[in-house]
Amino acid sequence: MLNFDEERFLRIQSGALVLAQRLDHVIGTCLAAGAQNVFFLGTGGAAILMQPAAQLLQRNSRFPAFIDLTAELFISSSVNLTAKSVVVMPSLSGTTKESVALLSKLKEIGATVLTLVGHQETPLGKGGDHVFVNFAEDDTSCESFYLQSLIIALSIMKHRGEISNYDGILGELATLPRLLLEVKRAFEGKAEAYARALAASDYHIIIGAGNVWPEAFYYGMCILEEMQWIRTRPVHASDFFHGTLELVDKEVSVILFKGEDAYRPLAERVQNFVPNYTQKLTVLDTADFALPGISAEVRALISPVLLATVLERISAHLEVLRNHPLTTRRYYKRVAY
């Protein structure tokens, strides 16, 4: 595979799953001590990657789950953010400015903070009440963060008696790293064609629903915009028909992500409409990827993980086609802001 280290990928995704036992223990301890809610409080891309786990709890658990913007909470806080809150704070670098600033405020409030970081010797790597370290880099962090946050959400439901098959799900997830590697291998032959479709336009409408909507948002903002300087308009499939559809014409590129959860019909509605007005529709459907031994229930939970793993292959080809390395920046962490 182009510019890809297979062993590093396996090590990182397996590392995320190795954290499951300790994550589950910490969550159980917090709930036993009287925790009343959970906040997922990342910044930028890391925050977006927490959304599927937050949504899973919001739709399937009576334990209150919130997702908010760290920069806004630092200014105004929230009446729900208290000493009885569990805060999950992801940051690959462990140095994200807004998250580090909020950490001090969280300590004053007395909330229990779980930090998910790629590096121990950092402010967030040292500052959390419970620190979970799994080294990753930009091309491997999505799957790692998705899996860690999914485990946290499932653990909350397990300890509350809201699911009975936690161990079975974790057993299936344990096989995932090598399965994802096989997905990458099988997709490699198509990755360049998808990359060419992305390189052919300087503006894309990117659409998703359910737990793959955050991946549409993330890929548009953090990869195409930040790392490739390509303009995008991420829009949820349910919102597409309330404004954004008017921008579709024969020259407009539409990228549709389809997952396997209950909200798949919202994506199918877009897929049925768009080809009538543009020939530039690109569809990535997680149902196309083989995952032997993974149940339909778990496939639905990991749809964003699957998308992240094939999108990495597309990005690897895209940076070569455009002669624009994914590490190139003009402003991000290069100038004062």
Side-chain angles (χ1 to χ4, degrees):
M1 286 184 277
L2 178 67
N3 296 336
F4 185 70
D5 185 333
E6 296 184 7
E7 290 305 315
R8 179 173 63 101
F9 176 79
L10 289 173
R11 185 168 60 251
I12 289 167
Q13 307 319 324
S14 297
L17 293 167
V18 164
L19 296 173
Q21 184 175 1
R22 185 166 157 248
L23 283 166
D24 183 51
H25 173 74
V26 169
I27 291 297
T29 300
C30 290
L31 293 181
Q36 295 179 349
N37 58 42
V38 60
F39 276 76
F40 292 89
L41 298 179
T43 301
I48 296 170
L49 299 174
M50 298 293 105
Q51 290 183 16
Q55 183 192 75
L56 180 65
L57 288 169
Q58 289 165 352
R59 303 277 170 85
N60 296 280
S61 173
R62 293 190 179 278
F63 192 69
F66 301 92
I67 192 160
D68 214 322
L69 298 170
T70 54
E72 290 195 357
L73 282 181
F74 181 73
I75 293 172
S76 63
S77 195
S78 165
V79 295
N80 295 300
L81 184 56
T82 72
K84 293 293 186 179
S85 297
V86 176
V87 174
V88 179
M89 183 171 281
S91 171
L92 182 60
S93 69
T95 62
T96 310
K97 181 179 178 181
E98 295 91 337
S99 296
V100 172
L102 184 63
L103 181 63
S104 299
K105 189 169 185 176
L106 293 173
K107 289 183 177 297
E108 293 176 6
I109 292 170
T112 300
V113 181
L114 283 61
T115 57
L116 314 179
V117 299
H119 305 275
Q120 177 86 57
E121 297 302 313
T122 59
L124 294 176
K126 294 180 176 180
D129 296 301
H130 304 279
V131 178
F132 297 85
V133 182
N134 185 44
F135 171 79
E137 294 178 298
D138 285 339
D139 62 339
T140 52
S141 63
C142 286
E143 297 98 326
S144 175
F145 278 140
Y146 276 140
L147 289 170
Q148 290 176 67
S149 59
L150 172 60
I151 290 165
I152 289 169
L154 292 171
S155 176
I156 289 171
M157 290 192 288
K158 166 197 164 182
H159 287 285
R160 289 177 49 80
E162 293 170 331
I163 58 171
S164 59
N165 59 339
Y166 174 87
D167 290 337
I169 294 173
L170 266 290
E172 291 187 42
L173 292 180
T175 69
L176 198 57
R178 290 201 175 275
L179 291 176
L180 291 176
L181 183 58
E182 292 306 315
V183 167
K184 285 179 182 287
R185 285 200 185 107
F187 187 73
E188 183 70 10
K190 300 177 182 178
E192 183 177 354
Y194 275 91
R196 289 191 182 279
L198 296 188
S201 299
D202 60 4
Y203 169 75
H204 302 277
I205 298 171
I206 305 182
I207 302 170
N211 65 6
V212 302
W213 154 242
E215 183 62 20
F217 183 16
Y218 176 91
Y219 195 72
M221 184 178 82
C222 296
I223 308 300
L224 295 185
E225 292 183 344
E226 178 189 325
M227 299 183 183
Q228 287 293 290
W229 307 348
I230 295 174
R231 292 173 175 83
T232 70
R233 168 65 163 100
V235 59
H236 195 284
S238 64
D239 290 330
F240 173 76
F241 292 99
H242 296 274
T244 309
L245 82 168
E246 288 295 335
L247 295 179
V248 177
D249 61 35
K250 63 182 180 180
E251 299 301 324
V252 171
S253 167
V254 178
I255 302 170
L256 176 63
F257 294 167
K258 296 179 70 177
E260 298 173 61
D261 63 11
Y263 311 104
R264 183 178 175 89
L266 297 177
E268 291 174 337
R269 183 185 180 201
V270 174
Q271 189 171 7
N272 292 334
F273 172 85
V274 168
N276 298 312
Y277 304 99
T278 182
Q279 295 182 339
K280 295 184 177 181
L281 171 63
T282 302
V283 179
L284 268 177
D285 186 348
T286 64
D288 292 339
F289 309 129
L291 289 175
I294 301 297
S295 64
E297 178 188 14
V298 174
R299 286 189 67 107
L301 291 171
I302 61 169
S303 290
V305 181
L306 272 172
L307 281 176
T309 219
V310 295
L311 285 165
E312 180 276 326
R313 289 290 77 218
I314 294 172
S315 300
H317 286 270
L318 186 62
E319 68 174 344
V320 173
L321 286 171
R322 301 185 74 244
N323 192 29
H324 186 127
L326 294 167
T327 54
T328 300
R329 304 287 188 278
R330 287 182 289 198
Y331 314 118
Y332 184 66
K333 293 185 177 180
R334 295 187 181 275
V335 301
Y337 51 83

